[in-house]
């Protein structure tokens, strides 16, 4: 298992609160999901609506083990919206969709347990 996914790994080095505030984590609703056929590892391309201030952004997500495309549309997810876009094969991923490794090391999406407005920021 990768160190970032290892639940027995020690906590990361301390950061100050101002550094934490620089990471902009928002909630959005998946409006479209499709298989990412050209990805090296199985993945989906997600289109996520973060509300009027941010809009719809694209994300490549390796979540195929726990989710079907049809089950993702309408689901709220959390993502980092202020990382620079990253080229993933032929797709430019604009946000980092967040999740945790389950017992098998597969991604389980991070989301609020009640609906919140799209674009709401984690604090």
């Amino acid at each position: 298992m990768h160190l970032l996914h290892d639940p027995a790994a020690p906590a990361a080095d301390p950061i100050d609160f101002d550094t934490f505030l620089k990471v902009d984590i928002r909630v959005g609703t998946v409006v479209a999901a499709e298989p990412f056929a050209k990805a090296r590892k199985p993945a989906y391309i997600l289109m996520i609506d973060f509300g009027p201030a941010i809009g719809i952004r694209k994300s490549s997500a390796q979540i195929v083990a726990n989710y079907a495309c049809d089950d993702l549309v309408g689901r709220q997810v959390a993502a980092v919206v202020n990382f620079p876009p990253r080229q993933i094969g032929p797709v430019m991923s604009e946000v980092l969709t967040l999740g945790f490794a389950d017992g098998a090391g597969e991604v389980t999406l991070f989301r609020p347990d009640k609906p919140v407005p799209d674009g709401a920021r984690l604090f």
Side-chain angles (χ1 to χ4, degrees):
M1 183 178 284
H2 189 277
L3 181 61
L4 291 176
H5 303 146
D6 183 358
D13 292 338
I15 60 171
D16 61 39
F17 191 68
D18 289 334
T19 301
F20 169 74
L21 290 176
K22 291 178 183 179
V23 180
D24 193 352
I25 299 172
R26 305 282 182 120
V27 167
T29 298
V30 177
V31 295
E34 63 184 46
F36 185 0
K38 295 185 178 182
R40 285 186 292 152
K41 295 181 180 179
Y44 295 138
I45 298 170
L46 307 178
M47 299 301 292
I48 306 168
D49 185 354
F50 292 97
I54 296 172
I56 296 174
R57 300 284 175 92
K58 184 184 300 182
S59 180
S60 170
Q62 295 176 356
I63 57 175
V64 300
N66 285 326
Y67 303 94
C69 280
D70 293 343
D71 297 332
L72 292 166
V73 175
R75 177 184 293 260
Q76 286 196 303
V77 297
V80 176
V81 299
N82 66 330
F83 282 158
R86 184 173 177 196
Q87 190 74 43
I88 311 286
V91 171
M92 185 64 72
S93 188
E94 299 170 304
V95 298
L96 175 64
T97 304
L98 300 175
F100 296 95
D102 65 13
E106 301 293 345
V107 178
T108 299
L109 291 170
F110 179 55
R111 66 180 186 155
D113 62 355
K114 295 182 182 181
V116 298
D118 287 335
R121 186 171 182 178
L122 179 78
F123 61 90

